[in-house]
């Protein structure tokens, strides 16, 4: 598995659960390692007051041969909901357990009272507990056949419909879709495809343009690099240099052993393949850090200090260290990400998220519809150069899942850059977030607006308000609320006109 | 098969080819009668100058397990197309052979020069030559699984995309969808779901509201009745009376024989079942006549005189005839529809369209997505009273195709009455057309407009201009052209702004 394959499969959200590292590779042959982490995740401390529900959802919305249904999970929090003049905020679940998203989307909880809103969090099919074929859901391409964004949107439409018909008062209220990352893409697409269901969408850090050649494939890693450079001017330079040093040390058995010790690896490196794995793992770590470069200490993907990229680059600021010292510094830098708690005894580069259902589903989606070209130049970024290689991806995907990617489909289905006929979508992006490369960062029309958040990482705006939040994200949130309130007001104004 | 089942399955267009009667019933057990009429139809006199093309289309747009492709047919006529400032008029094919639609959509041919337009006629999957599994396409629900409106729209999107990428000049031109009947529904839905692909849609006689309880189920047959009443005040009264007379005559063997003779039936009636079939067949005839009540002699479904309902009712105008005379008059009336040419030796009530691929596909669609509630009261209409019975439909559909109808799906998918967020769709309806019951007959917004055509039958506006056309349809066509020209102008204005 070449280095580039890793990049191709970068998940929008390195999935779930503390201790899980980045979904690193196609994980060929790892299917047997499938566990049922949903239960594990469901035991996460529940900090929010919601009720859990299940909707009997059709497995296939677009065909009639298979009439099977499955139980799709969704959560409802209606403490602040008002039957008169209220609204429904509907989280379009993405690639993971919905409880985790529910607990990490504090923004919705923060605004519920002000908006008299009911919160609904709908789990994406094939993630968390919402498995169409139970433990066999990931068995083969036949069972995975119903894992597409179109099916997911249809699920959401059915749930909204069901709520409107079963909870008195909901029918005549506006519904707003909210989502982050892939969930933000879904929120935007939900509004585009089902504008009769929802009055608007807040799509946070949603890289809906990260397809085909809509944006340069190198931009993503350039943003990662820029983040590191801002934290410390020589940091990217040291990281760029580190690849060569690792290669050099990897060339002899004795230096390889030294490197393993220097980096405190749990298993010593033994060959060229291990060196490649090590570099992949380090690259992923830098990407993750750029995504979760939040202004306060928190535990999103890992327990991390405030401004973790700065904390990392503190160890990589000196441009003139020897190769050996660079490696010792590299360990300290990695340790920021993997050992903020101070509990880890060693660093485990073979740690993958194949033990997490989410990553399995995502690796399938990244092999079918969600084909997001990423590449590195080694010049404009701090990584080793790798071209975007769709042919290799196609071969790998066929080997792993027996499917062939359809790289142009998402643009055909959702419009690519030509989305100006839609209305009432707010696209927010953090300028620190590498996914902003594929985001909508300029207003398209007055009703299709971009909110760019300086000092913001991956959907910072969707997180709970925090005393350490920069002013920019506070402003972004208040703008988002203003847009949502406008949609709600327009809904009621039209509604009164009708009746 | 009860009488009502027939009503449930009324095809939007009684399908194709002269001599074919209305698709009358679920046609249980008739699968073995499958012929390949596509070839037969393709031999129709071709009066238009087009080229035939085939696109390798994915059988399943919404899943990746089946990677099979099939050849979808489309026609191109580019005689009047201008590479600079031109437009693409895209016919969204409906339930039949595309050549037949191409030859019966003269409006597009009439406006091509004025609009510098390329005409494209795309065949709907599972009709004509565009069979995903060849002769096995209708074999069972597994092979029919990909016959849905969503798949058809995705086909159209892929073809538009392909034309834009392969024919120099098309990429930067506006595409307008045009369709009639079910094809009109598809044109409207195409604009709703793929507004990035087409700048607008002309949806002629498209009953997009004939679903769930969006309109009263009795309205359709009330319009049929109204048409007959307008042609001759006592005509509906005589038709309403005819059912009882048929029943009475059907009660004894000798009068049954007399009735068969009086109606010149090819096979004599023998029992109660035959009587029911006879009444179904007659009802369908009246519905068809209302649909094709055109102001000039033509051959759309059958060779017919101008204003055929008037011609029919001429024989049913006397309110005081005896039972026997009523039956003799009934024959004369039916003969208008079945024997305008004077060639038919007898009337064949067992004639169905199961020998036509179109009707097979349609009966499947009418058992899955396209669930259009129709009913009769026997009071507000001239038919025997029949309630809308979804349970019976579901049972029949399961028996025939092994599928379960999903009556609310179309509204969930396409919005039901709540479509006001869309733009640039013209809905035209003929007030004589029973399908106008489920049509959009009032402006929804300035950009979502209704054109109602007095004296117009089923998508009269899409037919070639004719000296006998009423002024109303001439006006409708010129309005339609004006809207389309506005969409084109807006497209180029925006385009210039962009570049």
């Amino acid at each position: 598995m070449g280095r580039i394959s890793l990049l191709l499969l970068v998940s929008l959200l390195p999935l779930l659960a503390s201790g899980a590292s980045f979904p690193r590779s196609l994980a060929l042959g790892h299917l047997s390692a499938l566990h049922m982490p949903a239960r594990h995740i469901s035991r996460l401390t529940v900090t929010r007051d919601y009720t859990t529900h299940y909707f009997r959802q059709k497995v296939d919305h677009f065909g009639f041969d298979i009439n099977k249904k499955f139980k799709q999970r969704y959560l409802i929090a209606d403490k602040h909901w008002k039957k008169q003049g209220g609204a429904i905020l509907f989280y379009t679940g993405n690639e993971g357990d919905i409880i985790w998203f529910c607990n990490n989307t504090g923004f919705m909880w923060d605004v519920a009272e002000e908006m008299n809103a009911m919160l609904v969090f709908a789990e994406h099919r094939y993630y968390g507990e919402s498995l169409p074929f139970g433990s066999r859901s990931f068995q083969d391409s036949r069972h995975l056949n119903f894992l597409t964004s179109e099916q997911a949107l249809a699920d959401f439409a059915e749930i909204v419909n069901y709520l409107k018909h079963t909870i008195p008062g909901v029918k005549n209220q506006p519904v707003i879709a909210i989502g982050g990352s892939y969930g933000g893409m879904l929120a935007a697409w939900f509004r585009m495809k089902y504008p009769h269901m929802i009055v608007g969408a807040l799509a946070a850090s949603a890289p809906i343009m990260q397809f085909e050649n809509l944006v340069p494939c190198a931009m993503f890693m350039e943003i990662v690099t820029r983040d590191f450079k801002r934290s410390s001017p020589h940091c990217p330079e040291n990281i760029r240099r580190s690849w060569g040093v690792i290669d050099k040390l990897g060339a002899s058995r004795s230096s390889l052993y030294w490197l393993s010790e220097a980096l405190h690896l749990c298993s010593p490196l033994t060959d060229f393949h291990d060196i490649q794995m090590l570099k992949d793992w380090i690259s992923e770590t830098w990407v993750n850090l750029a995504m979760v470069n939040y202004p306060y200490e928190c535990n999103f993907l890992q327990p991390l200090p405030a401004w973790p990229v700065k904390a990392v680059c503190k160890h990589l600021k000196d441009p003139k260290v020897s190769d050996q010292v660079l490696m010792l510094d590299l360990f300290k830098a990695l340790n920021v990400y993997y050992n903020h708690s101070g509990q880890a005894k060693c660093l485990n580069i073979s740690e993958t998220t194949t033990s997490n259902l989410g990553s399995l589903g995502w690796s399938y989606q990244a092999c079918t519809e969600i084909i997001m070209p990423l590449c590195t130049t080694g010049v404009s970024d701090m990584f080793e150069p790798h071209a975007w290689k769709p042919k290799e991806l196609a071969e790998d995907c066929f080997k792993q899942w027996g499917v062939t990617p359809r790289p142009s489909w998402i643009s055909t289905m959702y419009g690519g850059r030509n989305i100006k006929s839609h209305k009432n979508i707010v696209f927010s992006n953090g300028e620190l977030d590498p996914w902003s490369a594929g985001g909508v960062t300029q207003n398209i029309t007055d009703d299709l607006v971009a909110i760019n958040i300086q000092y913001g990482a991956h959907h910072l705006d969707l997180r709970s308000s925090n005393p350490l939040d920069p002013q920019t994200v506070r402003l972004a949130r208040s703008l988002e609320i203003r847009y949502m309130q406008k949609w709600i007001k327009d809904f009621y104004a039209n509604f009164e006109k009708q009746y």
Side-chain angles (χ1 to χ4, degrees), chain A:
Chain A
M1 189 59 49
R3 160 84 170 68
I4 196 62
S5 302
L6 168 167
L7 283 177
L8 312 186
L9 293 169
V10 161
S11 169
L12 267 73
L13 280 178
L15 274 150
L16 310 180
S18 62
S21 80
F22 205 80
R24 301 180 56 229
S25 73
L26 274 164
L28 287 168
H30 281 262
L31 293 183
S32 58
L34 182 67
H35 299 307
M36 294 294 287
R39 272 179 223 140
H40 162 70
I41 293 156
S42 299
R43 285 200 304 268
L44 285 172
T45 318
V46 173
T47 56
R48 313 287 190 181
D49 188 21
Y50 56 76
T51 52
T52 305
H53 306 261
Y54 295 88
F55 179 72
R56 276 176 53 77
Q57 192 71 264
K58 212 167 170 290
V59 167
D60 187 7
H61 291 292
F62 303 107
F64 288 80
D65 187 37
I66 292 173
N67 213 16
K68 183 180 157 54
K69 296 194 173 182
F70 74 102
K71 288 200 318 185
Q72 181 173 18
R73 183 167 56 162
Y74 63 99
L75 318 175
I76 291 185
D78 58 3
K79 187 179 164 190
H80 297 294
W81 180 52
K82 293 236 170 84
K83 274 194 190 182
Q84 297 295 324
I88 315 297
L89 302 184
F90 188 94
Y91 186 89
T92 48
N94 34 320
E95 72 277 29
D97 188 286
I98 195 61
I99 294 177
W100 188 74
F101 291 118
C102 169
N103 285 328
N104 274 288
T105 311
F107 173 67
M108 285 171 67
W109 295 87
D110 290 347
V111 302
E113 187 168 4
E114 182 180 354
M115 299 179 73
N116 304 320
M118 176 190 290
L119 309 183
V120 180
F121 297 86
E123 190 160 67
H124 192 297
R125 52 168 60 202
Y126 286 86
Y127 295 96
E129 288 187 3
S130 301
L131 305 178
F133 300 98
S135 59
R136 287 174 298 120
S137 297
F138 302 90
Q139 194 171 295
D140 50 37
S141 68
R142 199 163 60 84
H143 288 87
L144 278 158
N145 192 46
F146 310 98
L147 173 50
T148 64
S149 61
E150 293 89 345
Q151 298 276 9
L153 296 182
D155 290 343
F156 297 150
E158 288 280 37
I159 290 178
V160 169
N161 216 15
Y162 176 76
L163 297 178
K164 282 188 176 282
H165 284 89
T166 53
I167 303 180
V170 172
K171 194 170 184 178
N172 301 329
Q173 292 207 351
V175 181
I176 291 173
I178 298 180
S181 200
Y182 168 51
M185 291 157 67
L186 292 171
W189 294 339
F190 192 24
R191 171 65 190 167
M192 293 178 193
K193 293 294 186 183
Y194 297 83
H196 51 286
M197 287 277 173
I198 57 173
V199 297
L202 169 55
S205 298
I208 62 166
M209 302 298 169
Q210 194 68 51
F211 293 90
E212 289 191 284
N213 53 0
L214 300 180
V215 293
C217 62
M219 209 170 153
F220 180 95
M221 289 304 222
E222 283 166 11
I223 294 175
V224 177
T225 304
R226 194 181 65 196
D227 292 354
F228 279 67
K229 196 176 180 74
R230 275 193 196 177
S231 293
S232 177
H234 298 296
C235 190
E237 195 175 304
N238 273 324
I239 289 173
R240 195 185 288 114
R241 188 179 144 212
S242 73
W243 313 121
V245 174
I246 292 172
D247 283 342
K248 199 162 70 179
L249 294 170
S252 90
R253 189 156 295 273
S254 62
S255 57
L256 202 58
Y257 182 79
W258 180 87
L259 183 61
S260 308
E261 292 285 304
L263 297 178
H264 295 232
L265 301 184
C266 300
S267 308
L269 305 163
T270 57
D271 56 16
F272 169 77
H273 175 74
D274 285 356
I275 288 292
Q276 196 54 49
M277 269 188 71
L278 172 68
K279 291 192 292 186
D280 289 351
W281 175 77
I282 295 171
S283 298
E284 291 154 15
T285 308
W286 305 147
V287 170
N288 280 8
L289 276 157
M291 281 171 64
V292 298
N293 196 15
Y294 295 131
Y296 44 80
E297 186 172 15
C298 71
N299 178 359
F300 184 50
L301 303 173
Q302 295 272 19
L304 287 176
W307 299 118
V309 172
K310 205 169 190 70
V312 161
C313 284
K314 208 176 65 184
H315 303 292
L316 296 166
K317 64 183 177 201
D318 190 343
K320 290 190 183 142
V321 295
S322 67
D323 287 356
Q324 274 74 9
V325 173
L326 179 60
M327 290 299 105
L328 296 171
D329 288 346
L330 185 62
F331 163 69
K332 291 179 202 154
L334 290 165
N335 218 32
V336 169
Y337 186 76
Y338 290 107
N339 198 17
H340 181 57
S341 68
Q343 303 297 303
K345 290 198 174 64
C346 56
L347 302 185
N348 183 1
I349 71 159
S350 70
E351 195 174 28
T352 73
T353 52
T354 52
S355 66
N356 189 303
L357 276 180
S359 67
L360 260 185
W362 188 254
S363 104
Y364 174 85
Q365 290 193 263
C367 268
T368 47
E369 281 189 330
I370 313 294
I371 309 299
M372 300 189 286
L374 295 178
C375 62
T376 48
T377 63
V379 179
S380 59
D381 57 61
M382 63 191 187
F383 299 90
E384 292 186 293
H386 286 282
W388 165 246
K389 292 181 183 159
K391 264 194 189 170
E392 276 190 14
L393 174 72
E395 282 163 19
D396 288 347
C397 287
F398 194 78
K399 265 187 231 155
Q400 189 187 10
W401 297 113
V403 297
T404 303
R406 206 177 174 193
S408 64
W409 176 243
I410 288 288
S411 301
T412 302
M413 175 50 74
Y414 301 112
R417 289 219 162 268
N418 184 8
I419 57 173
K420 67 176 182 298
S421 68
H422 302 290
K423 279 187 299 195
N424 295 5
I425 308 178
V426 168
F427 296 95
S428 67
N429 280 284
E431 47 129 40
L432 300 179
D433 180 15
W435 288 114
S436 68
V440 175
T441 51
Q442 295 194 317
N443 285 4
I444 295 174
T445 65
D446 289 349
D447 301 310
L448 218 55
V449 299
I451 295 179
N452 298 322
I453 308 168
Q454 212 184 359
Y455 312 119
H458 201 46
H459 52 61
L460 173 63
D461 48 336
L462 289 195
R463 299 186 63 77
S464 290
S465 165
N466 187 292
L468 295 172
D469 275 331
Q471 191 54 32
T472 51
V473 75
R474 290 175 199 277
L475 185 64
R477 290 193 190 115
S478 69
L479 265 174
E480 288 162 7
I481 293 168
R482 214 193 294 169
Y483 276 106
M484 291 194 288
Q485 282 173 332
K486 184 187 177 300
W487 302 336
I488 292 169
K489 203 177 136 198
D490 289 351
F491 173 89
Y492 281 116
N494 278 318
F495 192 80
E496 276 160 25
K497 228 185 285 166
Q498 267 177 305
Y499 296 92

